[in-house]
Amino acid sequence: MSEARSGAATSAPTVLRMILGRRLQEMRQGAGASLADAAKALRVTPLTIRRLEKAEVALKPLYVEKLLQTYGAGQQETEEFVALAEQANKPGWWHAYRDVLPNWFTAYVSLETGAGTLRTYEPHYVTGLLQTPAYARGVLGGGFPNGSEEELERRVGLRLRRQSLLERENAPTLWVVMEEAVLHRVVGGPEVMREQIDRLLEASELEHVSIDILPFAVGAHVGACAPFTYFRFEEPELPDVVYSEILSASMYLDERADVVAHLEAHNRMSLLTSTRDSTALLNRMRKEYS
């Protein structure tokens, strides 16, 4: 799976829709049906079936019902599947922010909301899930210089809403690796930076959050490149996914070789520092901003 910003889908799938798409694929294969066979049953093209299975389009109840009948599913299984499909087609909470949420980022928010584990590398800014309102306002204001004040506040609101997943009962594990440069990049002024570092120190005490700061002294290392986030899900139907971006494009990768390369890079980077050293660096930088 790979898509540039300019070519992203207009409606990101929910994790449930992704799971159901996988199940449709497994049921088709279990029935010994090809994409062409499934397409013939619906009188559509094989590409449409592939897009249904990849959760690239909504799961139309009539399509789902016909496919399950074709695959030999029973009445009760079909009814339960159709009910789940209708639920999966409902927009995620982030749909309310579609006026300020770029199309290429909607899939990210969907994956973030449904992931059980997030591992991220940030060379430039504090990761969005740990930003304070003032810091987020500074980052987003710089990233969207032509936006209105109203749009800025909406973007900040979206970022803060995303952070609520760390407070829920089944909160995901978050493991952040950041460059020391992040702490030296002054966003919003010394007071904002001091408040942001306090937030990082607070978050580092949570059982499900780990923060590693790579000091300048480590020199060149395997991950010194673009920021990325690795997603792992509790549901066995879903593959691990890596998101990465550059100035003009973003990518969602689920090919095993790509995912493993990013996971190994994150592991190697985390070995270059320790929780104790990272905490000491945060406290030292906090004093500098005082």
Side-chain angles (χ1 to χ4, degrees):
M1 165 189 347
S2 176
E3 61 185 38
R5 293 184 182 182
S6 60
T10 57
S11 177
T14 60
V15 168
L16 177 56
R17 196 166 98 198
M18 294 167 66
I19 292 172
L20 295 180
R22 287 266 171 169
R23 288 182 182 171
L24 277 178
Q25 181 182 33
E26 291 170 357
M27 292 178 73
R28 174 178 60 77
Q29 294 171 340
S34 66
L35 287 172
D37 293 332
K40 185 177 181 180
L42 293 185
R43 297 184 179 180
V44 296
T45 66
L47 177 60
T48 297
I49 303 300
R50 180 184 178 280
R51 296 187 69 193
L52 284 169
E53 295 178 350
K54 292 290 186 180
E56 294 174 355
V57 294
L59 296 169
K60 295 181 180 180
L62 290 178
Y63 277 11
V64 170
E65 184 174 6
K66 182 62 177 178
L67 286 175
L68 265 62
Q69 290 172 354
T70 301
Y71 304 153
Q75 183 65 27
Q76 182 176 348
E77 183 180 12
T78 299
E79 290 177 358
E80 291 174 351
F81 201 110
V82 169
L84 286 173
E86 291 175 341
Q87 180 182 340
N89 287 333
K90 294 179 180 178
W93 63 262
W94 53 88
H95 187 71
Y97 292 90
R98 61 189 181 278
D99 55 322
V100 293
L101 182 61
N103 287 337
W104 54 269
F105 199 64
T106 54
Y108 183 99
V109 180
S110 174
L111 294 171
E112 181 181 73
T113 300
T117 299
L118 299 101
R119 298 176 63 165
T120 182
Y121 167 65
E122 286 287 351
H124 305 304
Y125 298 106
V126 171
T127 187
L129 290 178
L130 298 178
Q131 291 180 5
T132 65
Y135 185 93
R137 192 169 288 109
V139 171
L140 292 167
F144 296 89
N146 298 320
S148 67
E149 187 65 25
E150 181 181 358
E151 289 173 334
L152 175 59
E153 292 306 313
R154 290 277 290 160
R155 291 188 175 100
V156 172
L158 169 61
R159 182 149 300 183
L160 298 181
R161 175 71 185 276
R162 286 169 50 206
Q163 295 177 5
S164 64
L165 68 86
L166 294 177
E167 301 170 0
R168 69 191 188 196
E169 185 176 347
N170 60 335
T173 297
L174 175 64
W175 187 353
V176 181
V177 174
M178 291 190 299
E179 298 285 353
E180 180 181 348
V182 171
L183 305 178
H184 290 272
R185 188 185 302 278
V186 182
V187 176
E191 184 176 346
V192 171
M193 292 301 297
R194 187 168 62 251
E195 179 187 41
Q196 179 60 69
I197 291 174
D198 283 342
R199 169 64 178 136
L200 293 175
L201 288 167
E202 268 178 30
S204 66
E205 296 179 358
L206 299 174
E207 290 186 2
H208 58 291
V209 176
S210 297
I211 300 174
D212 291 328
I213 312 294
L214 298 181
F216 289 135
V218 303
H221 59 81
V222 66
C225 54
F228 66 84
T229 299
Y230 161 94
F231 303 95
R232 171 163 287 179
F233 304 90
E234 302 294 339
E235 297 81 5
E237 296 94 338
L238 296 181
D240 296 347
V241 176
V242 169
Y243 167 88
S244 184
E245 67 179 57
I246 56 177
L247 181 62
S248 59
S250 61
M251 296 176 291
Y252 295 87
L253 310 169
D254 61 6
E255 293 295 332
R256 180 168 175 77
D258 296 323
V259 172
V260 169
H262 285 81
L263 185 58
E264 289 183 349
H266 200 276
N267 286 335
R268 288 178 180 274
M269 288 188 288
S270 68
L271 294 175
L272 297 175
T273 186
S274 67
T275 300
R276 181 178 179 181
D277 291 340
S278 296
T279 300
L281 180 53
L282 284 169
N283 280 312
R284 187 164 69 249
M285 289 302 301
R286 188 189 187 285
K287 290 180 180 179
E288 288 194 19
Y289 287 117
S290 296

